[in-house]
Amino acid sequence: MSDTHPFDPIGHESIAEAVVEQIETMIVESILKEGRKLPSERDLAEALGVSRPKLREALQTLEARGLVHVRHGEGTFIANLTGRAMSPALLSLYTRHGEAFYDYLEYRREQEAFAARLAAERATASDKARLKQIIVDMQKAWEDADSDASQEADIHLHTAIVDASQNTTLMHMMASVYDLTRQGVFYNRAYLRTMDGSGEALLQQHKNIVDAILDGDPARADHAARMHMDFVEQSFRKGQEQQRRELRASKRRTLSS
């Protein structure tokens, strides 16, 4: 594997099948994530050390298996394999039934803690370098008061923690959950920032999780992840209660005028 691409040269036996197996393995291990564009045919053939006809044969097999799809004029992309975590109808139902939102947070709490614990046990040097860089990005976004950059760094960090868990099922399942978070389906991070005051508490919570992972302390990483999700839940409960107070006060004011 080179520093510029993650592919290994292919030997001479069963060339097309070997290409298929390597790309399938990289999809399973979440190295090649859904929506990722593969290198051009020429570059990919060169990276794998195979002929372009053999590469085309392998890509046709992958496409027939529903693992990649070709966009004419654009290239070959890893297919959307996890799909939606929830159907549009169920998402709509969640927005109308607020308590269901807390079931989502409960699910996130357990999965985030599990991922952090595994990451503390299994993170590689590359994983740790990635986490450190995201914390740097998150710190800068906070200092610049850049809410968009903060939200993107937040998702990148949680994704990196899950990747560092080395659990492929967790990687694929949480990718779908984080996609919903990115779309702001369940909550908007900017709202959390207003409850926090400046976003400083959120930043520190993320640092605590990463520090525990870097120190190789699974129990502390688990606890830090749970504390973070507890903060999210408490902030939303506090916000909802404040909204109810404002509504009651508004009604009283209307009746007394």
Side-chain angles (χ1 to χ4, degrees):
M1 185 177 76
S2 79
D3 293 334
T4 58
H5 64 75
F7 302 97
D8 297 321
I10 297 297
H12 295 294
E13 65 287 345
S14 304
I15 292 176
E17 290 180 16
V19 171
V20 168
E21 182 178 356
Q22 183 174 160
I23 293 178
E24 283 187 340
T25 298
M26 292 170 72
I27 292 172
V28 168
E29 295 177 348
S30 201
I31 297 171
L32 292 175
K33 298 180 184 288
E34 60 184 46
R36 177 68 179 266
K37 183 180 179 180
L38 292 177
S40 68
E41 185 179 284
R42 182 183 63 186
D43 290 344
L44 186 54
E46 182 179 339
L48 293 167
V50 302
S51 68
R52 292 173 74 171
K54 286 296 183 182
L55 175 62
R56 290 192 202 105
E57 182 183 339
L59 292 177
Q60 287 169 1
T61 298
L62 290 165
E63 186 172 26
R65 293 177 182 178
L67 296 174
V68 304
H69 62 89
V70 177
R71 299 178 192 167
H72 296 291
E74 295 184 47
T76 301
F77 297 79
I78 303 301
N80 185 341
L81 301 172
T82 56
R84 285 179 173 269
M86 297 182 181
S87 69
L90 185 56
L91 288 174
S92 178
L93 188 62
Y94 263 58
T95 63
R96 297 195 301 274
H97 294 267
E99 284 305 309
F101 167 71
Y102 295 105
D103 289 340
Y104 159 78
L105 290 181
E106 184 177 60
Y107 174 82
R108 279 282 306 273
R109 180 185 296 106
E110 295 305 314
Q111 299 309 310
E112 300 286 0
F114 179 47
R117 185 168 68 251
L118 291 182
E121 296 172 349
R122 302 174 178 178
T124 66
S126 179
D127 291 326
K128 292 179 180 181
R130 180 184 176 192
L131 291 170
K132 289 178 183 177
Q133 182 58 55
I134 296 173
I135 287 294
V136 170
D137 296 340
M138 193 171 277
Q139 176 77 36
K140 184 178 186 304
W142 176 72
E143 291 172 353
D144 294 344
D146 187 335
S147 60
D148 290 338
S150 286
Q151 179 159 314
E152 199 60 25
D154 187 321
I155 295 172
H156 285 165
L157 181 65
H158 286 287
T159 299
I161 291 170
V162 169
D163 286 349
S165 77
Q166 313 298 334
N167 184 299
T168 58
T169 299
L170 193 59
M171 291 178 199
H172 291 291
M173 294 301 293
M174 293 306 288
S176 185
V177 170
Y178 294 146
D179 185 52
L180 295 177
T181 303
R182 180 177 276 109
Q183 295 174 45
V185 170
F186 286 112
Y187 66 84
N188 189 315
R189 192 179 186 278
Y191 176 78
L192 277 180
R193 189 182 175 95
T194 63
M195 297 304 299
D196 181 0
S198 67
E200 187 173 7
L202 285 167
L203 176 63
Q204 187 58 54
Q205 289 160 22
H206 286 121
K207 287 181 176 180
N208 291 343
I209 298 170
V210 170
D211 285 345
I213 292 171
L214 297 179
D215 290 344
D217 190 331
R220 202 168 98 233
D222 182 300
H223 178 70
R226 290 180 186 279
M227 292 296 290
H228 170 55
M229 294 308 301
D230 284 345
F231 173 82
V232 171
E233 179 175 348
Q234 291 163 9
S235 295
F236 274 92
R237 289 193 183 278
K238 179 179 177 182
Q240 286 184 332
E241 182 56 35
Q242 183 61 36
Q243 288 174 353
R244 284 191 287 268
R245 291 192 191 110
E246 292 289 352
L247 179 59
R248 290 194 296 268
S250 177
K251 288 179 178 179
R252 285 193 293 269
R253 186 170 61 251
T254 299
L255 290 173
S256 63
S257 61

